[in-house]
Amino acid sequence: RWKQFVVRGEETVEGKPGQTIDDLRALPRGFCEFGTNEMSEFAQVCKDAGLEDLFLTSMKIYQRRGDTCADNRFDDDATASGKTKKAKGKKKKR
């Protein structure tokens, strides 16, 4: 099946004369497939490469005002995104 993807975040890096694309890469060259239960491993790879904010944006987790990069935002804390979860399945009044 065909599925449309939406770009949620991107970074543009300006190269200097003489730099190669490989010099500008944040992640190692190549392809690594992560399993469906390995999102935390992928998050750690992004964090180690300095791409934590880009990863969080791709997951629709946006920085709250006053947060700093030093905050540990990879915790599974429900408030990490700065949003509260709404309860699903509210009963309707009859």
Side-chain angles (χ1 to χ4, degrees):
R1 284 185 99 154
W2 193 99
K3 186 173 181 179
Q4 177 182 358
F5 289 94
V6 176
V7 175
R8 291 194 185 127
E10 65 181 336
E11 287 186 359
T12 304
V13 178
E14 188 98 10
K16 297 176 183 172
Q19 279 188 306
T20 66
I21 290 175
D22 287 333
D23 293 337
L24 301 172
R25 291 182 194 279
L27 296 171
R29 185 175 183 179
F31 184 82
C32 181
E33 185 173 346
F34 291 90
T36 56
N37 295 324
E38 297 179 320
M39 187 57 68
S40 60
E41 286 84 352
F42 178 56
Q44 188 62 50
V45 168
C46 291
K47 187 174 183 177
D48 292 345
L51 300 173
E52 179 180 8
D53 289 334
L54 188 59
F55 172 79
L56 292 171
T57 297
S58 73
M59 296 289 108
K60 292 186 177 180
I61 301 171
Y62 304 106
Q63 187 172 345
R64 295 178 302 194
R65 278 188 213 140
D67 281 351
T68 65
C69 292
D71 292 338
N72 187 359
R73 291 176 286 159
F74 280 115
D75 288 342
D76 290 333
D77 184 4
T79 62
S81 67
K83 299 177 183 177
T84 56
K85 294 183 178 181
K86 294 182 181 179
K88 293 183 179 179
K90 289 184 179 179
K91 293 182 180 179
K92 294 181 181 179
K93 293 182 179 180
R94 294 182 188 229

